Amino acid sequence: MTSPLAPSLTLPSGARLPRFGLGTWRMGESKARRAEEVKSLQRGLDAGIRLIDTAEMYGEGGAEEVIAEALGQRRPEVFLVSKVYPHNAGRKAAIAACERSLKRLKTERIELYLLHWRGNVPLAETVQAFERLKQDGKIGDWGVSNFDVADMADLEQAGGTACGANQILYNLTRRACEWRLLDLCRRHKVPVMAYSPVEQGRVLGDRKLMAFARARGLTPAQVCLAWLLDKPNICVIPKAVREEHLNDDLGALNATLGDADRAELDQIFPPPRKPASLDML
């Protein structure tokens, strides 16, 4: 399941998490767009992408169904990530939710299963459910999403020492995680998945970023993705329904940023200078 496109990261089980994948937020919401969405995922597979991220929340399961249709017989090639709603994260409810996702995905196993964000269910219950799912072979690894430093500490206290990943909002304009969270994840060998790496396209029109990219023969999206991929312990999951967007994103894999480039980007998009709360979409 390793992608030929970029080096991978290692999860607690020893499984390899590709560093470049495809997001599926807002997929599965419209029957009229379904064929286009299926085709976009298949183009990604043809290009060598081996990581697809989704959640039961996306299209209320519709995105998982789109993925199943796109994969077909190619399921063994792909590392699948899905996420459970916080209100479905109880000891029994998480197992039932995972089984529903497995059915929609038409698979017997999800490689990485995440708690979408922290809710009211005690973390110890969620950890117990995840460990049971892992023991039963229904998931390979489990992790969390949108967890800040204090949340990670609480997770450890709840017995969650086998956390496989933390999926967070991280891009040039959302850098709160750099204050302490990224270092914590590195120390505990917890890979970080950066969602919305181009801020859902909003950052791409920034004039300074456009000038920076143009001066280096890159596109703004390629700068955003290359900046993240340049960092250790990070994987990116941009969404690309249109073929030109996919090709643009893939171009980031050949982009190189030097020390001077990184310093200039810090001037355009300053890192946090004081403690800041993790952003979430």
Side-chain angles (χ1 to χ4, degrees), residues 18-220:
R19 292 195 67 203
F20 192 98
L22 291 173
T24 60
W25 187 52
R26 304 305 300 271
M27 286 190 181
E29 296 181 357
S30 167
K31 290 183 179 180
R33 296 197 300 267
R34 182 164 180 143
E36 181 185 19
E37 291 168 349
V38 168
K39 188 175 181 180
S40 73
L41 294 176
Q42 291 173 336
R43 278 195 297 261
L45 294 178
D46 292 341
I49 295 174
R50 294 295 178 262
L51 167 63
I52 298 178
D53 175 81
T54 191
E56 66 171 344
M57 185 188 82
Y58 301 167
E60 293 299 322
E64 292 176 326
E65 293 173 349
V66 168
I67 291 169
E69 184 175 343
L71 293 184
Q73 298 302 310
R74 301 183 70 174
R75 168 66 185 99
E77 301 175 22
V78 176
F79 189 106
L80 279 181
V81 182
S82 194
K83 298 180 282 292
V84 61
Y85 268 125
H87 61 261
N88 285 338
R91 189 178 292 106
K92 294 181 179 180
I95 292 173
C98 183
E99 289 174 345
R100 291 193 295 271
S101 286
L102 290 169
K103 184 176 181 179
R104 288 189 292 264
L105 288 163
K106 295 183 180 180
T107 188
E108 296 180 352
R109 176 185 170 96
I110 295 170
E111 277 71 43
L112 180 60
Y113 196 50
L114 309 178
L115 173 61
H116 208 152
W117 65 90
R118 189 172 183 177
N120 296 323
V121 174
L123 291 175
E125 280 195 34
T126 304
V127 170
Q128 290 170 14
F130 284 174
E131 288 293 346
R132 177 60 185 271
L133 287 165
K134 187 173 180 179
Q135 180 182 344
D136 291 346
K138 294 178 180 178
I139 64 173
D141 287 277
W142 62 264
V144 294
S145 181
N146 298 299
F147 268 44
D148 213 334
V149 173
D151 301 313
M152 294 298 288
D154 290 345
L155 180 66
E156 186 173 6
Q157 288 293 317
T161 55
C163 178
N166 187 8
Q167 185 177 128
I168 60 173
L169 175 60
Y170 185 29
N171 58 51
L172 279 168
T173 67
R174 308 274 195 155
R175 301 180 61 172
C177 61
E178 295 177 6
W179 185 255
R180 289 179 57 202
L181 182 60
L182 292 187
D183 286 341
L184 182 149
C185 290
R186 288 190 197 107
R187 289 198 308 272
H188 289 268
K189 298 181 179 180
V190 176
V192 171
M193 301 181 69
Y195 74 80
S196 294
V198 297
E199 188 64 11
Q200 298 178 9
R202 289 186 291 270
V203 69
L204 302 182
D206 183 275
R207 291 184 179 181
K208 291 182 179 179
L209 176 61
M210 292 172 68
F212 176 96
R214 187 165 50 249
R216 290 155 181 81
L218 301 172
T219 67

Side-chain angles (χ1 to χ4, degrees), residues 222-242:
Q222 289 166 357
V223 171
C224 291
L225 295 172
W227 178 79
L228 285 166
L229 290 169
D230 188 53
K231 300 176 181 296
N233 204 45
I234 303 286
C235 85
V236 298
I237 44 173
K239 177 185 173 184
V241 174
R242 297 170 61 183

